[in-house]
Amino acid sequence: WRTSLVVDKGAKMHELHTHDHELKDEKDAKIHKFEIPMSHPMHDGGFLLAARYSGTLVVALLNPDKTRRGDVHTYPGTPTLPDMAVDGDDTVLLTSFARGKNEFSLRAMRLSGKKPELPKTLSPVVLFPDDKASETDPDFTRDDKGRRWITYVDGERGHGKLFIAPMDANFHAPGKPFEITQENEKASEARLVPLKDGTLLVAFLK
């Protein structure tokens, strides 16, 4: 038995097995499997690839022909669905990791557009004020004036308050977040869409 993270390179092309794990039996296969695979194009023509595997975030870089570039990196912890976005020439990935029962922390990485390399560890997303509350399901965007923003769910995952916060290049919030949801509203996730003149559209599920 084996589980594999596979990249389809197109018609009449051999698929690429970027990461494999040997498994003991069928029971093991039901427990250990790749989940929520995602990819995003990078400035140099390559791709950022990420997935969850057995309590870790698995990340790899692909060349423009979708062959693997370097080693696959793993980041311990149970991640939620990652968000990948463009930040100028760079590519960013944000996600949240479980840090206890029903509590999550935001983490991120930045890949240079000139020479993308996977970091050894993920950077914490530092909000202001940083009250160590549970934050999950981030979404990142950069508006047409160059300002960076993230949305995130504060409190119970899938049933918390939705906030938007300014963000700098190091994933630190230079100012206070703004609450989007109304007094009796709860949100599960959101998506940010930059419009003209620095305006942002926020769509969310509640």
Side-chain angles (χ1 to χ4, degrees):
W1 291 86
R2 173 183 295 180
T3 183
S4 182
L5 183 59
V6 178
V7 175
D8 186 351
K9 297 179 65 178
K12 299 181 180 180
M13 299 286 287
H14 290 292
E15 60 188 20
L16 173 66
H17 291 253
T18 60
H19 202 47
D20 293 322
H21 280 284
E22 297 291 339
L23 303 173
K24 295 179 181 179
D25 50 33
E26 184 177 0
K27 182 180 179 180
D28 205 24
K30 292 180 179 180
I31 299 174
H32 301 287
K33 55 187 176 181
F34 287 100
E35 300 173 301
I36 56 173
M38 298 183 66
S39 66
H40 195 282
M42 298 188 296
H43 181 72
D44 68 349
F47 298 88
L48 174 63
L49 177 67
R52 182 171 62 195
Y53 176 78
S54 190
T56 60
L57 179 66
V58 178
V59 184
L61 299 181
L62 303 180
N63 293 309
D65 64 355
K66 298 181 182 177
T67 56
R68 197 178 74 194
R69 180 191 307 174
D71 296 329
V72 174
H73 286 225
T74 58
Y75 301 93
T78 303
T80 58
L81 180 70
D83 174 53
M84 301 177 182
V86 172
D87 186 7
D89 290 342
D90 297 348
T91 303
V92 297
L93 180 151
L94 290 87
T95 187
S96 50
F97 280 86
R99 70 165 191 257
K101 187 177 181 180
N102 300 323
E103 291 189 344
F104 295 83
S105 297
L106 302 180
R107 295 289 184 268
M109 71 166 68
R110 174 178 296 278
L111 300 170
S112 169
K114 296 180 180 179
K115 189 179 179 181
E117 294 181 352
L118 294 174
K120 293 182 178 179
T121 59
L122 298 175
S123 301
V125 177
V126 181
L127 299 169
F128 178 85
D130 188 10
D131 57 4
K132 305 300 181 183
S134 178
E135 297 109 6
T136 187
D137 298 301
D139 193 70
F140 174 97
T141 198
R142 182 169 171 169
D143 65 27
D144 64 359
K145 295 186 177 182
R147 298 173 299 191
R148 301 174 179 89
W149 301 90
I150 68 164
T151 57
Y152 61 92
V153 176
D154 181 85
E156 182 183 355
R157 188 186 181 211
H159 198 69
K161 292 290 187 179
L162 181 64
F163 284 84
I164 184 170
M167 192 66 37
D168 66 17
N170 296 315
F171 305 111
H172 289 200
K176 293 183 179 180
F178 304 93
E179 185 174 347
I180 296 173
T181 44
Q182 300 298 314
E183 182 177 354
N184 296 319
E185 287 184 323
K186 302 292 183 179
S188 60
E189 60 180 298
R191 291 293 178 267
L192 273 170
V193 181
L195 304 177
K196 294 181 179 180
D197 301 322
T199 305
L200 297 172
L201 171 67
V202 182
F204 64 96
L205 298 176
K206 62 180 183 177

